[in-house]
Amino acid sequence: MGSIDNPRVHELSQILKALGHPTRLFIIEEIAEEPACVCVLKERIGADTSTVSKHLSILRNAGLVTMEKKGTMVYYSLSCACIKDCIKALSPLIELKHKRYCEMLQ
Amino acid sequence: MGSIDNPRVHELSQILKALGHPTRLFIIEEIAEEPACVCVLKERIGADTSTVSKHLSILRNAGLVTMEKKGTMVYYSLSCACIKDCIKALSPLIELKHKRYCEMLQ
DNA sequence: TGAATATTTTGCAATATCGCCAAATAACAG
DNA sequence: CTGTTATTTGGCGATATTGCAAAATATTCA
């Protein structure tokens, strides 16, 4: 049945890998609220423009975001609302981890 | 509001990073069906036992799996069913990517 | 055309990840 | 205790990721 060579697994893991970086996850959550251009994201992140642009290219490559040019600026937005659902789905796990952490302290 | 220093973002990205590897995602989907021990996972994956064990430790560290010893064997299982939901939530994106790919070919 | 602004690309050094091997640890059976 | 099996850990080379700086590209405006 499910094999490690299943292309679906690789496709999914590429998407999850793209989400698995603080800066990129932050970008995703920002543009989930409202599309934003690189210069604004750069300000909110506090990193070099080239760094932000590279993260965006990784997200683009994984198909997570779409870009739209307006003048010299490029606005990025989520390519699928389901990405929000994916992240939201992990809330119970986060809570569980906090609960376990509190128990561990005792 | 949402800042790049928000610990929640880092916690979430750690989880997603752990999921962002083909072997680890495969493990997650396997044990989502039914808990499995390292030796069985090793067979299904076709990698060194130590490699599988190390992937499992990453998943453990991210709080995604829990272990239970039975004799000399260690059985791993999902720590939260929500992980399945997280992965399932991405199906529309996968479909979207396929659709885009087909359009691109024309 | 030429200056100004926004973004991407390239180059590079620092760091992290990956996968195998070998050694260490743990649990059980005889 | 000894040998056996299952798993984890440490070590190490190969490869990938990360982030900044500099150069290249694209678009607008004068």
Side-chain angles (χ1 to χ4, degrees), chain B residues 23-71:
Chain B
T23 300
R24 291 196 292 267
L25 189 59
F26 178 77
I27 290 172
I28 288 290
E29 300 207 317
E30 284 294 308
I31 67 179
E33 298 284 329
E34 185 176 25
C37 62
V38 183
C39 52
V40 166
L41 290 172
K42 164 213 154 79
E43 289 303 325
R44 296 189 192 155
I45 292 164
D48 199 90
T49 312
S50 66
T51 301
V52 175
S53 178
K54 236 172 227 177
H55 280 303
L56 284 164
S57 87
I58 290 169
L59 291 171
R60 223 185 313 129
N61 218 265
L64 291 163
V65 303
T66 54
M67 55 197 290
E68 189 182 356
K69 287 200 109 170
K70 285 184 186 171

Side-chain angles (χ1 to χ4, degrees), chain A:
Chain A
M1 302 306 182
S3 143
I4 187 74
D5 302 316
N6 184 342
R8 189 188 134 274
V9 170
H10 288 263
E11 223 166 330
L12 267 173
S13 66
Q14 190 210 10
I15 292 170
L16 292 160
K17 185 177 185 177
L19 291 171
H21 186 284
T23 300
R24 291 195 292 266
L25 188 59
F26 178 78
I27 290 172
I28 289 290
E29 300 207 315
E30 284 293 308
I31 67 179
E33 298 284 329
E34 185 175 27
C37 62
V38 182
C39 54
V40 166
L41 290 172
K42 165 213 154 80
E43 288 304 322
R44 297 191 190 152
I45 292 165
D48 199 89
T49 312
S50 66
T51 301
V52 175
S53 179
K54 227 177 234 174
H55 281 302
L56 284 165
S57 86
I58 291 168
L59 291 171
R60 223 185 313 132
N61 218 265
L64 291 162
V65 302
T66 54
M67 58 198 286
E68 187 182 358
K69 288 200 107 168
K70 285 184 185 171
T72 61
M73 308 214 284
V74 180
Y75 282 80
Y76 281 88
S77 49
L78 278 202
S79 65
C80 182
C82 72
I83 300 164
K84 283 196 268 187
D85 301 332
C86 164
I87 296 167
K88 212 182 300 172
L90 293 174
S91 301
L93 180 58
I94 298 277
E95 282 205 32
L96 185 67
K97 287 181 75 173
H98 288 172
K99 200 186 294 178
R100 275 199 290 242
Y101 181 69
C102 291
E103 286 168 8
M104 201 253 294
L105 291 180
Q106 293 163 12

Side-chain angles (χ1 to χ4, degrees), chain B residues 54-94:
Chain B
K54 236 172 227 177
H55 280 303
L56 284 164
S57 87
I58 290 169
L59 291 171
R60 223 185 313 129
N61 218 265
L64 291 163
V65 303
T66 54
M67 55 197 290
E68 189 182 356
K69 287 200 109 170
K70 285 184 186 171
T72 60
M73 307 213 285
V74 180
Y75 283 79
Y76 280 88
S77 49
L78 277 202
S79 65
C80 182
C82 71
I83 300 163
K84 283 196 269 187
D85 301 331
C86 164
I87 296 167
K88 210 180 304 171
L90 292 175
S91 302
L93 180 57
I94 298 277

